[in-house]
Amino acid sequence: MKVLITGGAGFIGQRTGQLLLKQGHQVAILDNLSPPAHDGPPALPAGMELIEGDVRRREDWVKALKENEVVIHLADHHDYLPSFSKLFHVNAVGTAILFELLLEKTSVRRVVLGSTTAVYGEGKYRCGKDGDVYPQPRRVDALEHGIWDPPCPICGGAITPMVTDESVARPTSAYGLSKLAQEELVRLLGERHGIECVILRYGAVQGREQPFQNAYYGALRIFALRLAHNQPPLLLEDGNQLRDFIDVEDVARANVAALAELPPGAYNVASGRAHTVMDLARILLRVAERDMTPETPGRYRVGDARHAVPDVSRLKATGWEAQSGLEAMARAYWQWLQAQPNLDTYFEGADHLMERTGTVRVAR
Ligand SMILES: NC(=O)c1ccc[n+]([C@@H]2O[C@H](COP(=O)([O-])OP(=O)(O)OC[C@H]3O[C@@H](n4cnc5c(N)ncnc54)[C@H](O)[C@@H]3O)[C@@H](O)[C@H]2O)c1
């Protein structure tokens, strides 16, 4: 099959492309090689045709679409900094241009969109009094006082986090909102114009080769970079946030399954196992054999969800299952990172910028 991967020079795109090539598919990638994902030309796996271009430019899409039958659309802008308009230009407008072209005659029969569980915002909770509820974004004044758990949106009482299925999406960040806009375009225009569309909402993707120059997100990468500079993991909030960490190899397998096997629709792509961020920090300290204590000075990021635990039963019912566990992921990343030359203090630059822009704040 001829497959175009947008953002194919990125973390998930490269791994997906390698798997496709191994299975005998032809792979082209459309990527503008932009920072912070890249701070120079990447060494791409042999066999991938690179079309250097931007998803915001119609002529670049025209060059890239050619004879391809499936587009795996991963190129996106994801940022915690206040670059709100760029989020929508790249993620929503870029996707709208793709669909303008798909309405003209092309060979594309299916679009696979790489989305995110950030579209759920705070996700699903259960209230003893009000049943299943979907909390509002956490209030800044609560976060300022170190009150991390969202209250019931109906009675204001305490609530318990639940796994969140694909049915209700209410983002709490501009990034999540831009990805939901992108999803809705794909879903609506795909259905209306007979283009099969599969939306994959990834959990927190980690793993070997996650580029360390982009230290704005990716807990494993940020903690490992700090350890490599003899600094303990610095956790947001109290470290008890639940996340589903998934290995990039498992995500690549889901992307490949989405070429043909998965019926159109939205699917969560996650390991199905919830861990606290503190668990991840401790596991990394253990595999790195470092005797340090993770720090929780009350820093927080406005727009983060307290917990993010997707329900993976829909995808699992198709036969896909995550194969890698958290300890194996942490070990593989730590080993890979240690073998890298020129490990700069990327985390410090990213951290200072996030503090300066008010993206990361400290509770009183
Ligand atoms: N990594 C995660 O934890 C995670 C979690 C959930 C969802 N996702 C989604 O997965 C997809 C891929 O993420 P990733 O982790 O591989 O990111 P990445 O930053 O490593 O890769 C993104 C790629 O897109 C390219 N790109 C950015 N803007 C572009 C533009 N305007 N035109 C063309 N190319 C452009 C970048 O150069 C980069 O190579 C994204 O859509 C993201 O929303 C990632």
Side-chain angles (χ1 to χ4, degrees), residues 7-13 30-34 37-38 53-56 73-78 90 114-117 175 179 202-206 210-211 214 217:
F11 174 48
I12 298 172
L30 170 63
D31 199 301
N32 69 351
L33 309 180
S34 56
H38 306 280
D54 195 307
V55 294
R56 290 166 292 182
H73 187 22
L74 302 178
D76 89 330
H77 181 58
H78 43 268
V90 177
S115 189
T116 166
T117 54
Y175 164 63
K179 293 299 281 187
Y202 312 138
V205 189
Q206 320 283 314
Q210 189 166 35
N214 180 4
Y217 71 97

Side-chain angles (χ1 to χ4, degrees), residues 299-361:
R299 298 163 90 244
Y300 63 94
R301 232 170 14 201
V302 179
D304 271 2
R306 173 62 172 160
H307 302 298
V309 187
D311 179 347
V312 287
S313 41
R314 183 152 195 234
L315 186 59
K316 275 178 87 174
T318 69
W320 176 94
E321 184 142 25
Q323 290 173 353
S324 188
L326 192 53
E327 180 148 349
M329 255 183 266
R331 193 177 302 283
Y333 194 69
W334 180 244
Q335 280 169 356
W336 174 80
L337 191 82
Q338 283 184 303
Q340 300 312 303
N342 310 323
L343 267 191
D344 209 340
T345 52
Y346 287 101
F347 67 95
E348 279 178 358
D351 231 31
H352 289 158
L353 188 57
M354 288 200 283
E355 279 178 15
R356 217 177 50 237
T357 53
T359 311
V360 169
R361 304 177 190 179

Side-chain angles (χ1 to χ4, degrees), residues 264-282:
Y267 300 83
N268 289 333
V269 182
S271 73
R273 291 178 291 271
H275 290 275
T276 65
V277 178
M278 183 64 83
D279 286 340
L280 173 67
R282 290 195 176 128

Side-chain angles (χ1 to χ4, degrees), residues 29-283:
I29 66 182
L30 170 63
D31 199 301
N32 69 351
L33 309 180
S34 56
H38 306 280
D39 60 2
L44 290 174
M48 287 188 198
E49 182 199 357
L50 169 66
I51 296 111
E52 197 171 331
D54 195 307
V55 294
R56 290 166 292 182
R57 286 166 54 96
R58 192 181 167 88
E59 53 274 37
D60 293 344
W61 273 115
V62 171
K63 269 189 251 162
L65 284 174
K66 287 189 290 190
E67 320 247 280
N68 289 300
E69 298 151 84
V70 177
V71 177
I72 302 183
H73 187 22
L74 302 178
D76 89 330
H77 181 58
H78 43 268
D79 207 344
Y80 287 101
L81 303 175
S83 55
F84 307 133
S85 57
K86 190 171 177 189
L87 287 168
F88 286 86
H89 281 139
V90 177
N91 302 350
V93 175
T95 304
I97 297 171
L98 165 65
F99 274 85
E100 285 172 7
L101 290 166
L102 294 187
L103 298 199
E104 296 169 12
K105 206 169 158 35
T106 69
S107 44
V108 175
R109 56 166 186 78
R110 182 173 271 229
V111 173
V112 177
L113 175 66
S115 189
T116 166
T117 54
V119 297
Y120 298 126
E122 297 295 351
K124 183 169 159 181
Y125 279 72
R126 187 154 295 158
C127 172
K129 196 160 151 258
D130 298 304
D132 289 350
V133 291
Y134 293 84
Q136 302 291 327
R138 292 179 294 165
R139 293 172 57 104
V140 176
D141 57 352
L143 297 172
E144 268 173 6
H145 289 91
I147 300 167
W148 308 125
D149 291 310
C152 172
I154 301 169
C155 70
I159 48 180
T160 310
M162 309 291 291
V163 290
T164 299
D165 66 26
E166 289 86 352
S167 56
V168 180
R170 289 191 188 157
T172 50
S173 65
Y175 164 63
L177 203 56
S178 74
K179 293 299 281 187
L180 186 59
Q182 185 184 39
E183 282 194 8
E184 288 294 290
L185 272 168
V186 164
R187 191 186 54 75
L188 184 82
L189 298 177
E191 265 169 28
R192 187 168 293 167
H193 299 287
I195 298 154
E196 293 174 6
C197 292
V198 176
I199 294 165
L200 299 178
R201 294 172 175 161
Y202 312 138
V205 189
Q206 320 283 314
R208 220 160 35 84
E209 292 168 25
Q210 189 166 35
F212 45 84
Q213 59 269 28
N214 180 4
Y216 293 90
Y217 71 97
L220 181 55
R221 156 175 55 196
I222 296 170
F223 297 165
L225 265 176
R226 286 183 63 86
L227 281 197
H229 292 88
N230 282 322
Q231 299 192 39
L234 180 60
L235 280 58
L236 295 172
E237 304 186 11
D238 57 1
N240 291 324
Q241 309 89 298
L242 289 169
R243 292 288 180 272
D244 186 314
F245 300 103
I246 176 154
D247 194 291
V248 66
E249 299 291 348
D250 288 324
V251 171
R253 284 193 304 106
N255 289 342
V256 172
L259 287 192
E261 290 162 36
L262 297 187
Y267 300 83
N268 289 333
V269 182
S271 73
R273 291 178 291 271
H275 290 275
T276 65
V277 178
M278 183 64 83
D279 286 340
L280 173 67
R282 290 195 176 128
I283 288 171

